[in-house]
């Protein structure tokens, strides 16, 4: 059904935007506590349906991107 396909695409877009905001927040504040980092990690896992290792990789890539910019 076309309606369901468009709805799913929109949900994925919203999910990806939220994930990008979480990653961006982690990039701009290197003074996050371990608890805050765990919260962001868990949120990424839930939003993107990924493992803890994959979420941690995203956070590392965000730090690398910050250091390059």
């Amino acid at each position: 059904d076309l309606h369901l396909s468009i709805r799913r695409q929109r949900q994925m877009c919203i999910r990806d935007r939220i994930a990008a905001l979480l990653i961006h927040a982690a990039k701009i504040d290197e003074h996050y506590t371990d608890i805050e980092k765990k919260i962001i990690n868990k949120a990424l896992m839930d939003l993107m349906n990924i493992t803890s290792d994959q979420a941690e990789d995203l956070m590392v890539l965000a730090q690398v991107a910050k250091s390059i910019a």
Side-chain angles (χ1 to χ4, degrees), residues 22-34:
L22 288 169
I23 292 168
H24 179 71
K27 284 193 319 188
I28 61 173
D29 189 353
E30 64 272 3
H31 303 294
Y32 269 145
T33 66
D34 286 339

Side-chain angles (χ1 to χ4, degrees), residues 7-60:
R7 183 174 179 200
R8 175 73 176 135
Q9 184 177 5
R10 181 175 175 179
Q11 289 171 338
M12 289 171 51
C13 182
I14 292 168
R15 179 206 66 197
D16 291 348
R17 285 182 185 170
I18 293 169
L21 286 171
L22 288 169
I23 292 168
H24 179 71
K27 284 193 319 188
I28 61 173
D29 189 353
E30 64 272 3
H31 303 294
Y32 269 145
T33 66
D34 286 339
I35 292 172
E36 290 168 324
K37 288 178 183 177
K38 286 179 184 179
I39 291 169
I40 291 173
N41 195 347
K42 176 72 170 125
L44 288 171
M45 289 170 50
D46 292 344
L47 280 169
M48 304 192 74
N49 196 27
I50 58 177
T51 66
S52 178
D53 289 340
Q54 291 170 319
E56 189 63 37
D57 289 346
L58 285 175
M59 298 290 280
V60 170

Side-chain angles (χ1 to χ4, degrees), residues 27 60-69:
K27 284 193 319 188
V60 170
L61 288 173
Q63 288 299 329
V64 169
K66 178 186 175 197
S67 67
I68 293 173

